[in-house]
Each structure stands twice: as C-alpha cells, then as structure tokens.
C-alpha cells in the first residue's frame, strides 16, 4: 500500500493547530441581565431638569394693584368733565376719513396708503440720489484703475524700445544666414525618395525653418533701423 512521505509532517501540523480556536475570545461570556432592555424613547435627547427660581430675583411690576394696596382717599376734583368734553367736541377739527379703495363695485375695502397706488417712494428726500456705497465703490474702482495705469506706464518705461546698432544688425544678419545654410545643408542631405512618414515630417520641418529664416533675413535687409524691447 502507498504511504505518503509527508504523512508525519501533516499529522504534526494537525495536532499543533487542533486547538487554535480556543484562543479566540474569553472562554465564558457574561450573560446580560433581563432587566436591561431597550425602552421606548430612551435614546431621545432629554432637556435638563428645571431649576427653581431664586427668591432674590425681583418680581416684575404688575399692571394691577396688589391685594395689600389701598386706594388714595380724600382727593376731589372740581373739573366739569361734561362742559370740557362739549367744548373739545365743538372746537375740535373734524376727523378726516381714511382713504380706501375697493377692488370692484361691491367688493372689499382696502387701505389706499399701503396698496402701492400712492406715489410715496418718489416723494422721498433721497429719491434719485446715488447711494453712498455706490459712490464709495466707484471711487475705489477709479483709484484702482489709476494705480493700474501708473504701474503699466512704469512697466512700459522699463521695457522701452532700444535701437540696434549697425554692428549688432550685421552680426544678427550673419547669424541668420549661417543658420539658413545649416538648415539648407540638412535639406540637401535628404534622400531622393521620401517613402516614410518620419522622413516626410522631417522634410516639412526643414522647409518651414528655411522659409522662416528667409523671411527674417528679408525683413532685416529691408529695414536699416530696427528697434527691440528691453527685457
């Protein structure tokens, strides 16, 4: 009968790892008490307990007299209220009726002042006057524009145009012609048959460089006086 050579090693590992589960968690777990169960509204926030008012605080003034207060006795007035009221009614100005409007012939009545039909807003003292915050904002914008223009003017003064001397113009022209000769030499070195995409792209690149150099040489030869910006 066939017996594997790894049998002893497998048996040893099985005996070694047989009781590994015993190390997971405590052997005995405390049983929860049946009195500890989730009750209704137990997780809702509760307000703090109301504190009793201190006796040192003063009570608010009451609009009615206290039980211990007594009325003032013995004060009499000789004023004739009947005649006074009659004179006030005769000499007083009649009360002006409050302006109202109705939405239809037999409709409800509404106050005319709060309806928006009376031109109250245009009669204000500050009507048509520019608000102060807009004036202040316009002043800030104008000041910022002046500062920007001053900074740009200073920047332009620093980068003023500079005239090239005849020697610099001659050396620049010679350098451009030398670059054109180098590019033209590379162009002449191209194979007769352009059969691949990299060759065609390289040829187009050399043609563009030669055309740009020819344009620059023509511009410098045409203009005797050249100005450049100071960096």
């Amino acid at each position: 009968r066939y017996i594997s050579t790894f049998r002893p090693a497998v048996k040893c590992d099985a005996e070694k790892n047989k009781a590994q589960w015993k190390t997971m968690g405590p052997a005995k777990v405390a049983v929860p008490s049946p009195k500890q169960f989730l009750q209704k509204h137990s997780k809702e926030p509760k307000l703090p307990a109301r504190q009793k008012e201190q006796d040192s605080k003063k009570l608010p003034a009451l609009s009615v007299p206290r039980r211990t207060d007594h009325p003032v006795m013995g004060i009499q007035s000789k004023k004739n209220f009947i005649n006074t009221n009659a004179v006030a009614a005769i000499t007083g100005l009649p009360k002006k009726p409050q302006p109202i409007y109705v939405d239809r012939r037999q409709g409800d009545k509404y106050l005319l002042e709060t309806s928006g039909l009376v031109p109250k807003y245009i009669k204000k003292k500050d009507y048509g006057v520019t608000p102060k915050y807009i004036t202040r904002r316009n002043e800030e914008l104008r000041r910022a524009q002046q500062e920007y223009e001053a900074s740009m003017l200073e920047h332009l003064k620093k980068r003023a145009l500079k005239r090239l001397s005849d020697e610099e113009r001659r050396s620049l022209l010679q350098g451009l012609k030398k670059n054109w000769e180098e590019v033209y030499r590379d162009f002449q070195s191209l194979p007769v048959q352009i059969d691949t995409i990299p060759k065609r792209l390289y040829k187009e690149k050399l043609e563009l460089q030669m055309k740009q150099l020819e344009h620059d040489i023509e511009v410098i030869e045409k203009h005797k006086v050249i100005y450049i910006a100071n960096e």
Side-chain angles (χ1 to χ4, degrees):
R1 188 166 65 91
Y2 172 76
I3 298 176
S4 175
T5 57
F6 300 101
R7 180 182 177 88
V10 173
K11 188 175 181 179
C12 182
D13 291 342
E15 291 293 337
K16 187 185 299 182
N17 301 325
K18 187 175 181 179
Q20 288 294 326
W21 62 274
K22 291 184 179 180
T23 61
M24 297 178 61
K28 294 182 180 181
V29 181
V31 180
S33 175
K35 296 182 180 180
Q36 297 179 357
F37 57 90
L38 184 63
Q39 299 181 1
K40 188 177 182 180
H41 306 294
S42 61
K43 292 187 177 182
E44 295 181 357
K46 296 182 180 180
L47 296 175
R50 184 176 180 181
Q51 299 178 358
K52 294 183 179 181
E53 296 182 357
Q54 300 178 2
D55 297 337
S56 60
K57 292 183 178 180
K58 295 183 180 180
L59 296 176
L62 300 177
S63 59
V64 296
R66 297 178 179 273
R67 185 183 299 176
T68 57
D69 294 344
H70 299 283
V72 181
M73 307 298 291
I75 297 178
Q76 296 181 358
S77 176
K78 297 181 180 180
K79 183 178 180 180
N80 191 346
F81 290 94
I82 297 176
N83 295 339
T84 305
N85 294 340
V87 171
I90 293 172
T91 58
L93 297 175
K95 187 177 181 180
K96 294 182 179 180
Q98 197 170 12
I100 58 174
Y101 78 98
V102 292
D103 50 2
R104 56 183 183 272
R105 186 172 182 180
Q106 295 179 350
D108 299 329
K109 297 180 181 180
Y110 303 96
L111 294 176
L112 184 62
E113 185 177 0
T114 58
S115 63
L117 302 175
V118 181
K120 295 175 57 178
Y121 185 77
I122 61 176
K123 293 183 179 180
K124 287 185 175 181
K125 294 182 180 180
D126 57 348
Y127 178 76
V129 180
T130 306
K132 294 182 179 180
Y133 75 94
I134 294 181
T135 305
R136 184 170 60 254
R137 185 180 301 173
N138 293 338
E139 184 66 22
E140 292 176 357
L141 290 176
R142 186 180 61 81
R143 192 182 305 110
Q145 183 66 21
Q146 291 180 354
E147 293 177 358
Y148 173 75
E149 291 177 356
S151 63
M152 288 300 298
L153 184 60
E154 186 69 21
H155 182 66
L156 292 176
K157 287 182 179 179
K158 291 181 179 179
R159 298 186 59 185
L161 296 179
K162 176 185 176 182
R163 179 179 175 179
L164 286 180
S165 61
D166 296 339
E167 186 65 27
E168 292 175 346
R169 176 178 171 277
R170 194 179 303 107
S171 62
L172 179 61
L173 190 59
Q174 292 177 358
L176 290 174
K177 290 181 178 180
K178 183 178 180 181
N179 293 339
W180 183 87
E181 291 176 357
E182 293 178 357
V183 177
Y184 183 71
R185 189 182 307 110
D186 295 339
F187 183 78
Q188 291 291 334
S189 302
L190 290 174
V192 178
Q193 185 178 1
I194 307 297
D195 52 354
T196 60
I197 294 178
K199 292 180 180 180
R200 182 164 54 84
L201 295 177
Y202 184 62
K203 179 183 178 183
E204 293 177 357
K205 178 183 177 181
L206 293 177
E207 290 177 349
L208 289 176
Q209 291 180 359
M210 291 173 61
K211 188 179 296 184
Q212 183 65 33
L213 290 171
E214 290 175 358
H215 174 72
D216 296 341
I217 292 171
E218 183 181 358
V219 169
I220 295 177
E221 288 180 348
K222 183 178 179 181
H223 299 86
K224 302 298 182 181
V225 179
I226 299 176
Y227 290 91
I228 59 173
N230 289 329
E231 297 295 340

